[in-house]
């Protein structure tokens, strides 16, 4: 019984983390579509958008199915999206790091990149915390 | 437990391998979008050249003159020193120079003395190669000691490692106004303790003070906010002033025999300290940025082993804000060049603009013209005193000997297109042999027609020059200088809408500098010191001819191509742009200097029409038919070498290219033009400059371009071009984005070290010679930046507003020399970041197709400036291609033509661009060496592509394996 309780607790905790990851992913997707294009990087990265979308979908599937596999798949999708998001902002990053014209990172950049990283991280932790479903013999 | 451990292990491994797999998958996509950049950075080629034929004839179309690193370095060192020797300018000398070498002991002062600006980046301790090799370049101390001159070691160590070591120039963000600011940061006199001061007497042969300034890409010099006087970076700081004052006291007390100041900077320093009675300097030398070995020439000049023969390529004034351009600049917020519309709908590449309010009155054109107006009593001359304004006129410079001019004669050439000015130069000195620069200035008449039609006319314009050979004392040389009659024309925007030859008296005058020539013209007109001239001129050195009637036809066609020359730049002038609304600019006018002088910041407001013009990606309507693509006609690029541009075989070759080929060639030109297998075009490699080859391996670095211009010797420029080309070829490059030929419109432009002069004719003659030297070796020169990129503020998209006369007579004029088909004939051009008006320069049909191609006859390759930096919004492929731009300096990630494959107008423009690229590469690039008709280009995978694919395969396999093992582990559990 204690094991079952522990599993339920960890499962619920993992589900919470995955939900947070999905929310972060949704926030990231929203912000990217809204403000992700800048004068430095005017084109969307479809890879980033697809990654975010797939990640959210897999996270939701994971929440419903409670299968650990989907937790990790969601993490991988968010990771893919995170990488492509960073690359899609490379001109902005280079401009600011090089300090050419005194520009600074806009707030939305910080929020988006934090959301993206958080989605990835939370999904991974959720997958780690989630115990695998094992058939119980009666 | 063991089974749990097993599942946990395989879970971890699965996730780990899958993580790496996802990273590699993302990396794979990203790597291919940056393929050209990666290959260029790693120096890789993704193709092989295969020759299956048996043609054994030589295919070396271009041959390098120097083929080893040692030979290139040695030549570059020699040329660097020679051009510095010919370009440094002795501005003032009361007899202190040359210093007597025997037993000479000197003290070197100021932080610049131990940290000479020899940087090709303009900034000491700059980026990349310039910084890396600075430690290996000779110092001023080294150069003097090589001549057996002893240098005060105590003072040297004081600056290098002692109390003054923490001082010295720097650039950082000024927190108060968020502007990149250059600081002088000179050591205060208080830091010179008794130990240091006690070393002076022993090394009192001369106090040599090195006043150094930096300038660098991306940041204009500061008019305000720095630590120079009144915040002006190009004025002496309090510490520098104090240093000179203290040295003056020490000289008076006998500690130092003389004080020599070396002005070690590219831009023109403000010279108000000359009026400081507490400063008594014996000689000033302008030495620019000295490159790899130029400091040796400086040292030799100090002791007389080099006799200075350079002449200033810019005017040096007491107040750098005295020009009309700087007067307006200083009125802007934060005293920066650009202003902002502050319209919420604009992004930061659209919101900034600058106005060239001075019109044609750049540099000496202003200072000499207003002087002439005062002397001649012109209405509107206003309150102006030349001698209180100008410290050193354009073209001035001294020698250790003296020269006299005589027997000036002017004859019209038989073809009626030029005047030949001959003049005898005699070395009237007793001791030194030297070279003299004879300058010919032109004065056009300022007539009622000009006034009524808004044509501005400078009282003096450089029209020709020649440098003698080395003349021994007493020796003479007769020089012949050709002046083109075409230069007598003025641009008439509002009347004839083309170049005109106004009726009236035209003067040609010889002079040692612009002011000297101006006085000679005024003397020929009957004026003298009684009329306010500061010196009596020599009327025998002036010649006059009269044009009887206004001529609006002779110069209405281009002398290069015969194309009609007419107004094309109304869009760039607020006074003529049809969408400008109430915007109006008062350009400075000779007709009323004071009335047109800027009194407040020039403010423009955004209009709906401006907003429309500022938009990018204006896809044209599809007109015509799509060309053939992907055909198999059996032609390779080398087969077209030597064929006329209009030969029908070019169409057959172009038909072989696919749309993807065209897109790749045009959109991915980051340091290359791509290899195209379908036409067997090899990849070319281009690199940056302009005073060195950026990726060179021979440590070849040259002084700043102002020094080259200061030589007034096109033969030197040819040698510099030759040296740069050979350095470039050695590392496998066959194109260089050089030279910089924007103007020293003001001293505050951030890239002063990369541009020649305030005068377009001198700039033009320099660039023409340099391009000839570069392209003789199969290196395509891409002079830059076309056009109006004369300062750095908000260069990414800043809109430059100016009138067409100034555009043509000043800023575009050097490009005629660089690109004109009968002149420099450059096979490349790099366009600029900025806009003209609201139109990105590379998207301007008037500038590119109109003036550059039609009027100047340029048929080379136009590349954009860095399109992967901050310019992706407005540096639009479709906008540029329709205006005649060819290739994008881009990795291709953010620039692509793929959306336009069904638009016949765009595709045909792309095809025309491809043709220009292919034509210039096959005929003028050394990359074609070794290519014959049987040569093919085969795509191969680079090592990183192989490694990436292998890694993907490995991690895919590992992921799969670990998943399989995980499943097995679960089953067992």
């Amino acid at each position: 019984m204690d094991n079952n309780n522990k599993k339920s607790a960890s499962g619920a905790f993992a589900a919470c983390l995955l939900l947070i990851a999905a929310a972060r992913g949704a926030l990231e997707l929203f912000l990217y579509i809204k403000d992700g294009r800048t004068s430095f990087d005017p084109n969307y990265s479809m890879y980033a958008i697809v990654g975010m979308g797939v990640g959210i979908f897999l996270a939701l599937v994971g929440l419903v199915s409670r299968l650990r596999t989907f937790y990790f798949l969601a993490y991988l999708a968010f990771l893919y999206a995170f990488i492509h998001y960073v690359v899609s902002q490379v001109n902005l990053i280079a401009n600011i790091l090089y300090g050419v014209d005194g520009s600074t990172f806009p707030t939305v950049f910080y929020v988006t990149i934090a959301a993206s990283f958080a989605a990835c991280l939370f999904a991974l932790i959720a997958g780690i915390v989630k115990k695998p479903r094992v058939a119980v013999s009666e | 437990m063991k089974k749990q451990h097993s599942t946990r292990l395989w879970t971890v491994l699965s996730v780990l391998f899958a993580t790496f797999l996802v990273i590699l998958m993302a990396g794979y996509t990203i790597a291919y979008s940056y393929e050209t950049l990666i290959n260029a950075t790693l120096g890789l080629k993704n193709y092989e050249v295969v020759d299956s034929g048996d043609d054994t004839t030589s295919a070396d179309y271009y041959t390098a003159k120097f083929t080893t690193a040692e030979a290139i370095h040695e030549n570059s060192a020699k040329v660097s020193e020679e051009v510095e020797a010919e370009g440094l300018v002795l501005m003032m000398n009361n007899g202190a120079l040359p210093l007597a070498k025997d037993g000479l002991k000197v003290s070197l002062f100021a932080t610049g003395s131990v940290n000479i600006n020899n940087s090709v980046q303009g900034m000491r301790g700059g980026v990349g190669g310039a910084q890396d090799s600075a430690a290996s370049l000779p110092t001023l101390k080294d150069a003097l000691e090589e001549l057996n001159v002893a240098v005060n070691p105590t003072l040297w160590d004081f600056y290098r490692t002692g109390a003054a070591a923490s001082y010295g120039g720097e650039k950082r963000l000024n927190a108060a106004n968020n502007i990149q600011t250059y600081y002088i940061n000179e050591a205060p006199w208080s830091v010179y303790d008794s130990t240091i001061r006690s070393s002076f007497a022993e090394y009192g042969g001369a106090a040599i003070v090195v006043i150094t300034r930096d300038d660098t890409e991306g940041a204009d010099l500061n008019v305000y906010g720095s630590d120079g006087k009144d915040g002006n970076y190009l004025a002496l700081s309090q510490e520098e002033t104090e240093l000179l004052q203290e040295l003056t006291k020490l000289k008076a007390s006998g500690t130092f025999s003389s004080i020599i100041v070396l002005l070690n900077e590219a831009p023109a320093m403000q010279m108000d300290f000359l009026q400081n009675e507490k400063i008594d300097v014996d000689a000033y030398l302008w030495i620019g940025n000295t490159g790899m070995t130029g400091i040796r020439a400086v040292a030799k000049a100090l002791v007389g082993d080099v006799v200075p023969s350079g002449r200033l390529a810019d005017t040096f004034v007491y107040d750098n804000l005295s020009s009309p351009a700087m007067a307006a600049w200083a009125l802007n917020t934060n005293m920066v060049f650009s202003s902002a519309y502050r319209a919420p709908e604009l992004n930061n590449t659209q919101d900034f603009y600058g106005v060239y309010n001075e019109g044609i009155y750049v540099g000496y054109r202003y200072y000499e013209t207003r002087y002439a107006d005062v002397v001649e009593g012109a209405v509107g001359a206003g309150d102006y005193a030349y001698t209180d304004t100008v410290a050193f006129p354009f073209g001035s410079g001294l020698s250790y000997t003296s020269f006299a001019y005589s027997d000036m004669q002017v004859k019209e050439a038989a073809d009626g297109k030029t005047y030949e000015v001959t003049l005898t130069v005699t070395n009237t000195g007793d001791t030194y042999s030297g070279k003299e620069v004879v300058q010919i200035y032109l004065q056009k008449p300022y007539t009622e027609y000009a006034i009524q039609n808004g044509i501005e006319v400078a009282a003096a314009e450089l029209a020709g020059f020649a440098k003698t050979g080395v003349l021994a004392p007493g020796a003479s040389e007769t020089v012949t200088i050709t002046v083109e009659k075409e230069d007598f024309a003025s641009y008439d925007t509002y009347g004839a809408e083309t170049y005109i030859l106004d009726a009236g008296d035209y003067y040609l005058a010889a002079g040692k500098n612009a002011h000297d020539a101006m006085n000679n013209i005024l003397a020929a007109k009957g004026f003298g010191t009684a009329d306010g001239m500061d010196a009596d001129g020599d009327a025998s050195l002036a010649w006059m001819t009269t044009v009887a009637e206004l001529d609006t036809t002779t110069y209405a066609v281009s002398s290069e191509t015969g194309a009609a020359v007419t107004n094309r730049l109304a869009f760039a002038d607020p006074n003529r742009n049809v969408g400008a609304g109430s915007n109006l600019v008062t350009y400075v006018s000779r007709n009323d200097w004071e009335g047109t002088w800027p009194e407040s910041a020039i403010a423009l407001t955004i209009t709906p029409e401006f907003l429309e013009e500022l938009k990018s990606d204006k896809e044209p309507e599809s007109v015509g038919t799509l060309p053939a693509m992907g055909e198999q006609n059996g032609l390779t690029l080398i087969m077209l070498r030597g064929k006329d541009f209009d030969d029908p075989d070019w169409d057959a070759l172009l038909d072989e290219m696919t749309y993807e080929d065209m897109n790749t060639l045009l959109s991915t030109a980051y340091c290359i033009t791509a290899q195209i297998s379908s036409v067997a075009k090899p990849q070319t490699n281009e690199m940056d400059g302009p005073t060195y080859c950026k990726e060179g391996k021979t440590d070849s670095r040259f002084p700043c371009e102002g020094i080259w211009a200061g030589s007034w010797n096109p033969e030197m420029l040819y040698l510099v071009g030759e040296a740069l080309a050979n350095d470039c070829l050695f590392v496998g490059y066959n194109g260089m984005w050089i030279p910089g030929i924007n103007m020293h419109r003001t001293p505050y432009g951030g890239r002063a070290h990369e541009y020649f002069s305030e005068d377009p004719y001198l700039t033009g003659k320099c660039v023409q010679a340099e391009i000839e030297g570069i392209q003789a070796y199969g290196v395509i020169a891409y002079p830059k930046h076309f056009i109006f990129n004369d300062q750095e503020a908000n260069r990414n998209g800043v809109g430059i507003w100016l009138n067409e006369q100034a555009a043509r007579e000043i800023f575009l004029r050097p490009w005629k020399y660089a690109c004109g088909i009968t002149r420099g004939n450059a096979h490349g051009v790099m366009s600029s970041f900025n806009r003209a008006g609201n139109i990105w320069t590379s998207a301007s049909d008037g500038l590119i197709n109109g003036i550059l191609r039609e009027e100047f006859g340029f048929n080379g390759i136009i590349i954009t400036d860095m399109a992967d930096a901050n310019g992706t919004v407005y540096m639009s492929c479709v906008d540029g291609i329709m205006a005649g731009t060819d290739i994008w300096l881009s990795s291709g990630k953010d620039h692509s033509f793929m959306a336009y494959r069904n638009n016949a107008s765009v595709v045909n423009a792309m095809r025309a661009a491809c043709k220009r690229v292919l034509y210039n590469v096959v005929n003028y690039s050394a990359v074609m060496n070794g290519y014959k008709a049987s040569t093919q280009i085969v795509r191969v995978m680079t090592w990183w592509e192989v490694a990436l694919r292998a890694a993907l395969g490995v991690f895919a396999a590992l992921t799969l394996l670990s998943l399989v093992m995980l499943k097995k582990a679960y089953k067992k559990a």
Side-chain angles (χ1 to χ4, degrees), chain B residues 374-509:
Chain B
V374 168
V375 169
E376 295 187 66
V379 173
D383 182 19
Y384 174 79
Y386 183 90
T387 50
D388 292 343
T389 308
V390 177
F392 298 99
F394 173 82
S396 61
L398 303 174
S399 173
Y400 292 146
T401 186
S402 53
F403 299 94
Y405 298 174
S406 60
D407 303 322
M408 176 174 163
Q409 293 187 24
V410 182
K411 289 181 186 167
E412 187 172 350
D415 63 4
K417 291 185 178 178
T418 60
Y419 290 107
E420 302 292 319
V421 182
T422 56
L423 182 141
T424 301
V425 180
T426 303
N427 183 346
T428 54
D430 298 320
T431 311
Y432 288 96
S433 301
K435 295 184 176 185
E436 171 67 344
V437 176
V438 179
Q439 303 163 42
I440 302 296
Y441 290 83
L442 163 70
Q443 183 181 91
K444 308 171 192 173
Y446 188 46
T447 65
E448 274 306 308
Y449 178 87
I451 294 170
Q452 284 165 13
N453 288 280
I455 303 171
E456 296 297 327
V457 179
E461 300 176 25
L462 184 67
F465 61 89
K467 195 164 194 176
T468 67
V470 177
L471 297 176
S476 296
E477 179 180 329
T478 298
V479 297
T480 302
I481 300 169
T482 301
V483 174
E484 296 185 58
K485 288 175 79 173
E486 183 183 359
D487 293 341
F488 283 39
S490 297
Y491 197 80
D492 178 8
T493 306
Y494 294 99
E497 299 184 11
T498 187
Y499 282 98
I500 60 145
L501 189 66
D502 206 350
D505 296 336
Y506 289 77
Y507 289 85
L508 287 176

Side-chain angles (χ1 to χ4, degrees), chain B residues 856-867:
Chain B
F856 295 168
F858 175 73
N859 197 29
I861 306 166
I862 297 179
I863 186 171
T864 68
D865 207 328
M866 184 55 171

Side-chain angles (χ1 to χ4, degrees), chain A residues 38-43 47 68 72 75-76 79-80 83-84 87-88 90-91 95 98-103 124 132 134, chain B residues 11 15 18-19 22-23 25-26 29-30 34 173 178 180 218 347-349 796 868-873 893-894 970:
Chain A
T38 67
S39 59
F40 305 104
D41 304 285
N43 301 314
Y47 297 108
R68 197 186 193 201
F72 285 121
Y75 148 70
L76 292 172
L79 173 65
Y80 187 80
I83 295 170
H84 275 288
V87 172
S88 78
V90 72
N91 288 335
N95 173 264
Y98 188 64
V100 172
D101 56 13
S103 297
L124 175 63
V134 180
Chain B
T11 301
V15 173
T19 299
V22 164
I23 292 172
M25 285 168 60
T29 315
I30 294 162
Y34 285 102
L173 200 64
N178 207 36
Q180 283 291 336
N347 62 46
N348 67 353
T349 68
N796 298 306
D868 272 356
N870 310 317
T872 49
V873 171
K893 182 176 92 66
D894 292 318
Y970 272 124

Side-chain angles (χ1 to χ4, degrees), chain A residues 11-28:
Chain A
F13 182 57
C16 286
L17 290 176
L18 189 63
L19 186 62
I20 294 170
R24 290 272 187 259
L27 175 64
E28 177 199 2

Side-chain angles (χ1 to χ4, degrees), chain B residues 421-716:
Chain B
V421 182
T422 56
L423 182 141
T424 301
V425 180
T426 303
N427 183 346
T428 54
D430 298 320
T431 311
Y432 288 96
S433 301
K435 295 184 176 185
E436 171 67 344
V437 176
V438 179
Q439 303 163 42
I440 302 296
Y441 290 83
L442 163 70
Q443 183 181 91
K444 308 171 192 173
Y446 188 46
T447 65
E448 274 306 308
Y449 178 87
I451 294 170
Q452 284 165 13
N453 288 280
I455 303 171
E456 296 297 327
V457 179
E461 300 176 25
L462 184 67
F465 61 89
K467 195 164 194 176
T468 67
V470 177
L471 297 176
S476 296
E477 179 180 329
T478 298
V479 297
T480 302
I481 300 169
T482 301
V483 174
E484 296 185 58
K485 288 175 79 173
E486 183 183 359
D487 293 341
F488 283 39
S490 297
Y491 197 80
D492 178 8
T493 306
Y494 294 99
E497 299 184 11
T498 187
Y499 282 98
I500 60 145
L501 189 66
D502 206 350
D505 296 336
Y506 289 77
Y507 289 85
L508 287 176
K512 294 173 186 285
N513 56 64
H515 195 59
D516 188 41
M518 187 73 255
N519 278 336
N520 294 342
I521 293 171
L522 289 169
K525 287 180 156 182
F527 295 96
T529 50
D531 303 294
M533 284 172 64
D534 47 34
D536 285 318
D538 183 349
S540 71
L541 294 176
W543 170 90
M544 187 200 76
T545 186
T546 302
V547 172
E549 286 182 1
L550 172 68
D551 178 350
T552 61
T553 56
T554 303
Y555 301 107
V557 293
S558 165
S559 58
E560 299 292 317
T561 64
V565 176
T566 189
N567 286 345
R568 296 184 192 267
L569 304 178
F571 67 93
D573 184 349
N575 298 354
R576 294 170 58 224
N577 183 314
V578 294
S582 59
N583 286 306
L584 197 67
V585 167
T586 300
Y587 294 106
V588 165
S589 172
R590 183 179 182 183
N591 194 39
D592 183 5
W593 290 113
E594 295 206 328
T596 57
W597 198 260
E599 297 291 340
S600 59
I602 300 170
L604 299 180
T605 53
I606 204 77
T607 67
E609 291 83 359
F610 279 9
L611 282 175
E612 197 54 40
E613 282 187 325
L614 283 165
K615 289 180 182 173
S616 305
D617 293 322
K618 296 172 181 169
E619 183 178 352
E621 187 185 336
S622 177
V623 174
T625 56
L626 291 171
M629 287 180 271
E631 306 278 307
Q632 302 290 326
N633 294 334
L635 288 173
T636 60
L637 180 60
I638 193 61
M639 296 176 183
L640 277 293
R641 182 179 164 84
K643 294 209 173 183
D644 191 77
F645 188 77
D646 296 322
D647 191 295
D649 278 348
W650 277 107
D651 283 327
L653 182 80
L654 289 164
D655 289 347
E656 294 179 342
M657 293 181 74
T658 64
Y659 190 78
E660 285 73 17
D661 287 341
M662 293 204 291
N663 178 60
T664 298
L665 181 63
L666 303 181
S667 69
T668 56
Y670 183 82
C671 299
I672 64 163
T673 63
Q675 67 87 10
I676 305 293
S677 300
S678 60
V679 295
K681 175 199 171 292
Q683 175 181 302
T684 65
N685 297 297
E686 283 77 38
M687 191 32 67
D688 208 354
T691 54
Y692 72 128
C693 176
K694 196 172 180 185
E695 298 295 329
K697 299 285 188 278
T698 68
D699 284 336
S700 295
R701 281 143 173 78
F702 297 91
C704 59
E705 287 195 5
I707 283 288
W708 309 357
S711 73
W712 293 67
N713 186 350
E715 289 177 10
M716 279 305 322

Side-chain angles (χ1 to χ4, degrees), chain A residues 68 72-73 75-76 79 83 124 127-128, chain B residues 7-25 951-952 954-963 966:
Chain A
R68 197 186 193 201
F72 285 121
L73 287 175
Y75 148 70
L76 292 172
L79 173 65
I83 295 170
L124 175 63
I128 293 169
Chain B
T7 58
R8 200 172 293 157
L9 171 67
W10 288 114
T11 301
V12 168
L13 286 176
S14 300
V15 173
L16 190 64
F17 291 142
T19 299
F20 280 116
L21 181 62
V22 164
I23 292 172
L24 283 167
M25 285 168 60
L952 271 169
V954 164
F955 279 98
L958 286 172
T959 304
L960 194 60
L961 177 66
S962 56
L963 286 171
L966 178 62

